Amino acid sequence: MSTLLTGIGELVTNDPAHGAPVPLGGEAPGGGVAASGEGAGRLLGVVRDAAVVVDGGRVVWTGAAADAPAADESRDLAGRAVVPGFVDSHAHLVFAGDRAAEFEARMTGRPYTAGGIRTTVAATRAASDDELRTGARRLVDEMRRQGTTTVEIKSGYGLDVRQEARALRIAHELTPETTFLGAHVVPPGADPAEYVDLVVGDMLAACAPHARWVDVFCERGAFDADAARRVLRAGAAAGLAPRIHANQLGHGPGIEVACEVGAASADHCTFASDDDLRNLADAGVVATLLPSIEFSTRQPYPDARRFLEAGVTVAIATDCNPGSGFSSSMPFALALAVREMRMSPAEALRAATSGGAAALRRDDVGWLGAGSRADLAVLDAPSYLHLAYRPGVPLVRETMLGGTWV
Ligand code: NIG
Ligand code: FE
């Protein structure tokens, strides 16, 4: 059964067939293309007065509404804008409890530290499978309502063999993009060296069947560069592709490690030297920036312009978690990226869609064109520009996931 979506005032495709750079890793080097106007339209492969034909969960055609082929049924979107569903490539959704009190303390002057993770570990260990499942499902639903169609979910609040495997089993019920983060922090009472042995040994063996990715929090107060290398290499040997929490709380070795092991993405990158930027560009490692975390920790924002000008592919994600930032909203992250990280609205949308897809090495999402998944968001606005122009306003009217409205 084919469906024609027509009357689309502005369609963002990210499709080379409509002038956009190639979906994977092909963000314009120099980063100057996308400032505004026509350049922005080209970066996003924008089609005006457009239509989309969907069949069997995939897009089969995009173009001008006047040229659209016939379909079994049709729906007029009355001039609204349509964008590819957001690809949120970094989230921690399997946990219990919250840390609102820690947030309050931060807003009155306390700094964020890795140690707060242990509070959530205690609550998570005490929760039933159903409590964890219900909590994670509720957050995924919240994301869907805000236009997110692909989400990555990490473990990391269990920190023993049984608990980490349980978190990944639950995450895997919700997404294929699951990440083993046994190396989030050293759990209370454990010896750091023995804990790394456990992570790369029994824990990895129990978790690998439920995970696609391996991650490590490489930071002061969490894991150093040697431990990070060891975890990522062991994960890779078990068939998991590496990604990393890098340079979040200070200048550190995380980005270097990411480039050494060929990680798909280095996430946070709040502190990055010029050498780090060159390394990321040369190694083809995506920089996933997480501005909601800077917002919620009162840290300085990274300057995305530096990354773009160095030729780095940039993604934006929420990092939704109960500690450093509890926002599930890609539109919010995108608005912050524009206001605080010197991205143009087009660059930020590109980062929140095809950038996220590159960070997850997916070529079927983050764009709309013949062969892509039919994952899209309909905005109650005439243009994608309104995502950053009207921050905090719930502009996503409907989300389509694999050809089905959700
Ligand atoms: O991405 N940095 C490490 N992990 C999370 C925070 C987890 C927490 O504070 O509970 C992050 O910011
Ligand atoms: Fe994180």
Side-chain angles (χ1 to χ4, degrees):
M1 171 91 134
S2 59
T3 304
L4 169 69
L5 305 178
T6 189
I8 300 171
E10 182 182 86
L11 173 67
V12 171
T13 66
N14 289 335
D15 186 352
H18 296 300
V22 288
L24 281 189
E27 316 299 319
V33 170
S36 60
E38 240 176 69
R42 222 176 11 257
L43 183 75
L44 294 172
V46 165
V47 183
R48 283 180 214 291
D49 301 318
V52 174
V53 181
V54 169
D55 198 353
R58 296 263 160 182
V59 170
V60 294
W61 186 90
T62 60
D67 304 332
D72 298 325
E73 58 176 30
S74 127
R75 173 95 195 272
D76 190 334
L77 294 176
R80 294 189 177 86
V82 168
V83 300
F86 301 119
V87 180
D88 189 348
S89 60
H90 185 141
H92 308 245
L93 306 185
V94 185
F95 64 85
D98 71 45
R99 281 158 45 207
E102 183 186 310
F103 174 76
E104 184 187 36
R106 256 196 331 266
M107 293 305 108
T108 50
R110 274 236 224 114
Y112 173 79
T113 66
I117 293 169
R118 297 192 184 99
T119 307
T120 301
V121 170
T124 303
R125 286 178 173 176
S128 70
D129 290 8
D130 269 345
E131 282 163 340
L132 294 182
R133 186 175 284 122
T134 303
R137 157 65 59 198
R138 196 169 51 87
L139 291 169
V140 169
D141 288 346
E142 198 174 279
M143 290 172 157
R144 300 266 184 259
R145 287 197 294 275
Q146 299 172 91
T148 297
T149 48
T150 301
V151 59
E152 181 260 19
I153 303 179
K154 300 174 196 299
S155 67
Y157 293 120
L159 308 189
D160 69 31
V161 174
R162 196 179 58 82
Q163 293 276 355
E164 284 293 301
R166 165 170 92 138
L168 284 164
R169 258 198 326 272
I170 290 168
H172 203 253
E173 294 169 10
L174 298 167
T175 182
E177 303 299 343
T178 51
T179 300
F180 170 47
L181 180 58
H184 200 183
V185 283
V186 177
D191 170 76
E194 282 172 20
Y195 185 67
V196 176
D197 289 344
L198 179 68
V199 168
V200 302
D202 290 352
M203 199 184 284
L204 174 60
C207 289
H210 314 292
R212 178 169 182 227
W213 303 95
V214 59
D215 193 346
V216 55
F217 186 15
C218 182
E219 197 77 48
R220 197 180 302 230
F223 297 88
D224 67 14
D226 286 340
R229 277 188 202 98
R230 205 172 149 218
V231 169
L232 297 180
R233 291 214 169 108
L240 309 185
R243 48 201 318 104
I244 187 170
H245 282 71
N247 302 44
Q248 174 184 2
L249 304 177
H251 278 286
I255 292 176
E256 260 166 67
V257 173
C259 297
E260 253 174 65
V261 304
S265 173
D267 296 32
H268 288 282
C269 299
T270 307
F271 299 88
S273 67
D274 290 344
D275 279 347
D276 286 331
L277 298 184
R278 257 191 306 277
N279 272 340
L280 288 167
D282 290 348
V285 176
V286 175
T288 300
L289 307 182
L290 308 166
S292 307
I293 301 310
E294 276 73 48
F295 178 88
S296 294
T297 56
R298 285 231 171 99
Q299 287 206 159
Y301 291 85
D303 178 356
R305 220 33 312 107
R306 287 179 63 227
F307 291 75
L308 294 169
E309 279 164 13
V312 178
T313 298
V314 173
I316 296 171
T318 62
D319 194 9
C320 182
N321 76 78
S324 60
F326 198 9
S327 168
S328 57
S329 174
M330 286 295 278
F332 176 62
L334 188 149
L336 288 177
V338 171
R339 175 63 181 81
E340 305 287 351
M341 302 192 330
R342 295 208 298 147
M343 298 185 97
S344 73
E347 287 164 339
L349 178 55
R350 180 86 182 170
T353 52
S354 82
L360 293 174
R361 296 190 173 149
R362 291 277 298 267
D363 58 12
D364 58 335
V365 300
W367 65 293
L368 295 171
S372 76
R373 268 179 64 95
D375 288 354
L376 56 83
V378 180
L379 306 183
D380 232 338
S383 168
Y384 76 85
L385 285 171
H386 287 231
L387 288 166
Y389 171 51
R390 306 199 65 213
V393 179
L395 289 183
V396 174
R397 182 188 170 92
E398 277 176 292
T399 304
M400 178 182 272
L401 183 67
T404 303
W405 297 108
V406 292

